[in-house]
């Protein structure tokens, strides 16, 4: 076998290892040994691909390795500044030609930075801070822990019933907040969440029941575990990543599809992979996500000519759950609003408003957050959650509504 043939064989081995690590992750996520094997495969596949590609194009592998290390460092340094740079370019009105040329580049760079930067682990699968729940799959575990991201580093204090709030808030709260990680306050300190700001401004005892990645279905089931006799207001936050859970819940006669503890343990194990850096992680992420997105686009194009299934109806599913909440708590006023990933749009609000008006739901008030939450620095650049500024703006709106 010639050297050229050996180089191509080595390159194909690298592609094979990369493909196994990308398309067969499920084989490795059942143990910590499997996770570290997967990490080794990801790093090794990039090294092998780079080494033999350098030999194929007659470049020194050492020089190619140095370039790879510099590129990895460049990506890491670029991530925090990608969003501010894109924002500045979008506002160059004096030089439209420069803006038109640079905008697609900075927009693409921002997209890449967000794809990598937002993948920093999930709070609900931390070994300290969360626990398995037979009905809801997981809840917060009483105690304290920290969650660190490129954009923030915050402490979470969980009370005895698994809520990110103090112990006193469990005793006869007047306002109860339910939602996902936005309501939890991922990315902000405990006293910076919109629920805490509302409580302080109105001087009404409030309870924050937000849990990351919960859909509306689990949020309303969690609500039943707390004494709401003294509660006058339920503040319900929606996000479009609630849709799959809500649809399954409504289709299953308002019952959750329960998952066992083994699934939760596997999710915790996989979370360890996401939480730590490994050699050439960013390079691997760029390649893998580009491949996956390209495949998704191709599959979507092929599916277009086929007969489409009945379209999903997120607003309709949410409305059906909202009806049940209104029926179960007829004496409570319910405030509903949406927070989207990186930005919030008015489409869901408009559809839900029509359903609420048509259904004649009483004591339900909708808030169109798209009119004020998409402000400068209201969302983090790499993480899709809202900043302390976003929480303050949202709190101000909720305060004015609750005072009426």
């Amino acid at each position: 076998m010639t050297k050229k043939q050996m180089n191509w064989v080595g390159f194909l081995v690298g592609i094979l290892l990369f493909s196994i690590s990308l398309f067969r992750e499920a084989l490795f996520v059942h143990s910590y040994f499997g996770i570290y094997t997967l990490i080794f495969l990801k790093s090794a596949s990039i090294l092998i691909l780079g080494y033999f590609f350098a030999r194929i194009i007659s470049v020194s592998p050492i020089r190619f390795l140095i370039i790879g290390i510099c590129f990895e460092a460049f990506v890491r340094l670029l991530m925090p500044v990608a969003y501010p740079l894109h924002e500045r370019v979008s506002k160059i009105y004096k030089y439209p030609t420069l803006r038109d040329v640079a905008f697609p580049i900075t927009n693409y760079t921002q997209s890449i930075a967000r794809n990598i930067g937002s993948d920093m682990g999930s709070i609900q699968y931390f070994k300290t801070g969360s626990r398995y729940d037979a009905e809801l799959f997981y809840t917060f575990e009483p105690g304290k822990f920290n969650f660190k991201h490129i954009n923030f580093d915050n402490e979470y204090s969980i009370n005895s019933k698994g809520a990110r709030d103090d112990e006193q808030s469990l005793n006869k709260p007047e306002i109860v907040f339910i939602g996902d990680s936005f309501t939890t306050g991922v990315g902000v300190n405990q006293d910076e969440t919109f629920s805490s700001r509302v409580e302080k401004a109105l001087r009404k005892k409030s309870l924050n029941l937000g849990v990351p990645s919960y859909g509306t279905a689990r949020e309303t089931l969690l609500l039943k575990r707390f004494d709401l006799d003294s509660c006058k207001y339920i503040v319900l936050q929606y996000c479009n990543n609630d849709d799959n859970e809500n649809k399954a819940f409504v289709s299953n006669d308002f019952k959750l599809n329960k998952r066992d503890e083994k699934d939760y343990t596997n999710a915790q194990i996989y979370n360890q992979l996401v939480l730590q850096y490994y050699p050439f992680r960013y390079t691997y992420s760029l390649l893998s996500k580009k491949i996956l997105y390209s495949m998704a686009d191709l599959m979507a194009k092929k599916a277009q000519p086929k007969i489409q299934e009945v379209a999903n109806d997120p607003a309709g599913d949410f409305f059906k759950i909202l009806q049940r909440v209104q029926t179960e708590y007829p004496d409570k006023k319910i405030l509903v609003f949406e927070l989207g990933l990186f930005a919030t749009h008015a489409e869901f609000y408009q559809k839900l408003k029509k359903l609420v008006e048509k259904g004649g739901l009483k004591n339900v008030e909708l808030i169109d957050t798209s009119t004020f939450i998409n402000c400068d620095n209201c969302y983090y650049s790499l993480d899709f959650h809202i900043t302390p500024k976003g929480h303050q703006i949202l709190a101000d709106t909720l305060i004015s509504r609750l005072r009426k």
Side-chain angles (χ1 to χ4, degrees):
M1 185 179 292
T2 65
K3 288 185 177 180
K4 186 176 181 180
Q5 290 173 329
M6 289 178 65
N7 290 338
W8 277 106
V9 169
F11 186 72
L12 292 173
V13 168
I15 292 177
L16 176 62
L17 295 178
F18 183 88
S19 300
I20 292 172
S21 65
L22 178 60
F23 299 110
R24 290 291 181 265
E25 271 193 346
L27 298 176
F28 301 92
V29 296
H30 303 295
S31 67
Y32 286 104
F33 174 78
I35 285 296
Y36 288 110
T37 301
L38 180 61
I39 289 174
F40 172 78
L41 283 178
K42 290 187 175 189
S43 296
S45 66
I46 296 297
L47 281 171
I48 292 171
L49 282 170
Y51 177 81
F52 285 103
F53 180 72
R55 294 186 58 134
I56 289 171
I57 63 174
S58 301
V59 174
S60 168
I62 298 298
R63 186 177 300 175
F64 204 80
L65 175 64
I66 293 172
I67 293 172
I69 293 172
C70 291
F71 177 75
E72 188 81 357
F74 172 74
V75 172
R76 176 62 182 84
L77 293 172
L78 178 67
M79 282 194 292
V81 299
Y83 175 75
L85 180 63
H86 179 61
E87 286 296 291
R88 288 180 183 177
V89 168
S90 66
K91 294 176 181 178
I92 303 178
Y93 300 112
K94 292 183 179 180
Y95 308 99
T97 302
L98 176 61
R99 182 191 63 195
D100 293 343
V101 171
F103 186 85
I105 299 172
T106 57
N107 186 47
Y108 181 69
T109 303
Q110 175 188 253
S111 177
I112 290 174
R114 284 181 167 178
N115 282 333
I116 299 174
S118 62
D119 194 14
M120 293 290 168
S122 302
I123 290 182
Q124 62 269 27
Y125 299 129
F126 277 18
K127 296 205 73 175
T128 55
S130 63
R131 58 187 176 188
Y132 173 72
D133 187 274
E135 180 188 24
L136 304 176
F137 193 46
Y138 56 81
T139 60
F140 277 132
E141 184 175 40
K144 293 183 179 181
F145 65 93
N146 275 71
F147 179 44
K148 187 176 182 179
H149 186 276
I150 293 175
N151 285 147
F152 50 76
D153 185 358
N154 307 110
E155 183 182 78
Y156 294 74
S157 181
I158 311 302
N159 63 29
S160 61
K161 294 201 70 175
R164 191 192 184 193
D165 216 325
D166 55 39
E167 203 68 21
Q168 294 178 343
S169 295
L170 295 171
N171 184 28
K172 297 181 179 180
E174 290 186 59
I175 309 171
V176 175
F177 296 83
I178 58 174
D180 53 26
S181 53
F182 285 102
T183 299
T184 302
V186 169
V188 299
N189 295 320
Q190 204 128 323
D191 60 350
E192 295 175 319
T193 63
F194 60 80
S195 59
S196 293
R197 294 178 187 274
V198 168
E199 180 178 49
K200 185 176 180 180
L202 296 180
R203 296 183 179 179
K204 294 181 183 293
K205 190 176 292 185
S206 302
L207 178 60
N208 181 357
L209 296 184
V211 181
S213 293
Y214 268 24
T216 316
R218 280 186 289 176
E219 292 159 12
T220 56
L221 292 177
L222 177 65
L223 195 61
K224 295 180 179 181
R225 299 185 179 186
F226 292 82
D227 182 4
L228 301 186
D229 289 344
S230 60
C231 175
K232 297 178 181 178
Y233 306 95
I234 296 174
V235 181
L236 171 55
Q237 171 255 316
Y238 162 84
C239 180
N240 58 11
N241 60 8
D242 298 348
D243 296 344
N244 289 336
E245 178 179 309
N246 292 351
K247 181 181 178 180
F249 184 65
V250 172
S251 301
N252 195 35
D253 194 26
F254 299 96
K255 297 176 183 176
L256 284 178
N257 294 318
K258 297 181 181 180
R259 300 169 64 182
D260 60 32
E261 191 168 4
K262 184 179 180 181
D263 290 335
Y264 181 72
T265 302
N266 289 341
Q268 281 189 315
I269 293 172
Y270 182 77
N271 200 47
Q272 296 302 306
L273 169 66
V274 181
L275 285 172
Q276 58 188 299
Y277 178 82
Y278 50 86
F280 300 104
R281 170 177 174 168
Y282 303 133
T283 304
Y284 181 92
S285 295
L286 284 176
L287 288 174
S288 61
K289 291 189 177 184
K290 181 64 177 176
I291 291 171
L292 291 173
Y293 291 157
S294 298
M295 290 178 62
D297 289 340
L298 287 173
M299 292 174 66
K301 289 178 181 178
K302 288 183 179 180
Q304 284 179 357
K306 298 180 180 180
I307 299 174
Q308 298 294 320
E309 296 180 0
V310 177
N312 290 339
D313 183 17
D317 292 331
F318 180 89
F319 175 72
K320 291 174 183 176
I321 298 174
L322 181 60
Q323 280 182 308
R324 289 174 62 88
V325 176
Q326 196 271 336
T327 301
E328 291 169 353
Y329 306 100
D331 59 330
K332 322 292 184 191
K333 182 166 184 178
I334 305 172
L335 273 68
V336 179
F337 64 91
E338 177 186 11
L339 288 173
L341 311 180
F342 290 117
T344 302
H345 306 285
E347 183 180 358
F348 177 82
Y349 164 81
Q350 292 166 352
K351 290 181 178 179
L352 183 61
K353 183 180 179 182
K354 291 179 181 178
L355 291 171
V356 169
E357 290 174 351
K358 185 178 179 181
L361 289 189
K362 298 179 180 179
N363 294 331
V364 173
E365 182 177 350
L366 307 184
I367 301 174
D368 183 5
T369 45
S370 69
T371 59
F372 59 84
I373 202 66
N374 298 318
C375 53
D376 290 341
N377 300 318
C378 281
Y379 275 91
Y380 282 110
S381 60
L382 301 179
D383 182 86
F384 55 74
H385 294 98
I386 56 176
T387 62
K389 178 182 177 181
H391 277 266
Q392 181 64 70
I393 291 174
L394 177 57
D396 290 341
T397 300
L398 292 173
I399 290 165
S400 65
R401 298 295 183 95
L402 290 168
R403 273 179 175 159
K404 292 181 180 178

